[in-house]
Amino acid sequence: MPNLDTPENLAIAQKALDGFNAVLAKDPNDLTALKQIASINRNIKKFDVAKEYEKKVIAIAPNDPEAYYTVGFVDWTLAYKNAITILAADGLTDQGDGNPKKSKGACQKLQAANTDLVNEGLQYLNKAVELNPTYDDAMQYLQLTYRRKADLECGDEAARKADMAQVDSWIQKAMGARKENELKKEKATQGGVSMQ
């Protein structure tokens, strides 16, 4: 079960990991095993291990947009957790707009904790969209990651506003892609069997 840290659940996760690792021992390039190990580790919050396995998937299947998306998703998740913690210590809750009221010290902590995560996240999410131009989930995480990038601008109001413009742009692109994907699904289901 995702995000369930009970000893029983972790034991089940470990059993599954052992099984997939046995598959990898025979075939280190088994994509299904690599993806499953990444997924299980993500679900038990071992994010660094999950990213490592998604990067192995990318090495074998460089045109798999889902693997790039997942690395970006993990980077955003970690950056978001860092931001919430650092902002809370500064007496703030995340406003999602670069939090311009934060202290200089909080901004420096955010830069130290999140710069690499944000940069990698943007890189991988952009690659996911490049590979799948209607990948609306990747677009949603791009806008969320630009919100984290806005946190890093430390008093540079023009840069913060530029990041927020990217947020708005990706929200619009995601909505457009979602509509396009829904239309494709509708057309696919309308081509069903006709009885005569």
Side-chain angles (χ1 to χ4, degrees), residues 53-195:
Y53 276 89
E54 290 295 353
K55 288 179 178 180
K56 289 179 182 186
V57 169
I58 290 167
I60 297 165
N63 294 322
D64 182 345
E66 191 175 316
Y68 290 96
Y69 162 77
T70 304
V71 171
F73 164 80
V74 168
D75 284 335
W76 174 83
T77 301
L78 295 171
Y80 179 73
K81 286 181 178 188
N82 291 341
I84 295 301
T85 302
I86 291 166
L87 290 168
D90 209 33
L92 299 171
T93 55
D94 180 36
Q95 299 301 306
D97 63 353
N99 299 292
K101 293 179 182 173
K102 67 188 169 298
S103 68
K104 188 174 182 181
C107 195
Q108 290 169 341
K109 287 177 187 171
L110 283 164
Q111 285 177 327
N114 284 351
T115 297
D116 291 344
L117 291 169
V118 166
N119 289 338
E120 182 182 67
L122 291 173
Q123 175 192 344
Y124 277 77
L125 289 165
N126 274 302
K127 183 67 176 177
V129 172
E130 179 186 316
L131 292 169
N132 177 357
T134 60
Y135 203 156
D136 55 287
D137 286 341
M139 293 173 187
Q140 282 294 353
Y141 277 93
L142 272 162
Q143 69 93 3
L144 291 169
T145 304
Y146 270 105
R147 291 177 190 277
R148 298 286 58 99
K149 185 175 184 298
D151 288 340
L152 310 177
E153 303 302 356
C154 294
D156 184 341
E157 187 59 15
R160 186 189 71 81
K161 284 183 176 176
D163 292 336
M164 293 312 295
Q166 286 287 345
V167 167
D168 293 340
S169 173
W170 283 109
I171 288 171
Q172 294 305 312
K173 289 176 185 176
M175 288 189 330
R178 188 166 293 124
K179 284 180 186 168
E180 192 176 326
N181 292 335
E182 286 171 7
L183 284 173
K184 282 181 193 172
K185 281 182 196 169
E186 266 181 44
K187 286 181 183 173
T189 56
Q190 287 174 355
V193 178
S194 61
M195 303 290 254

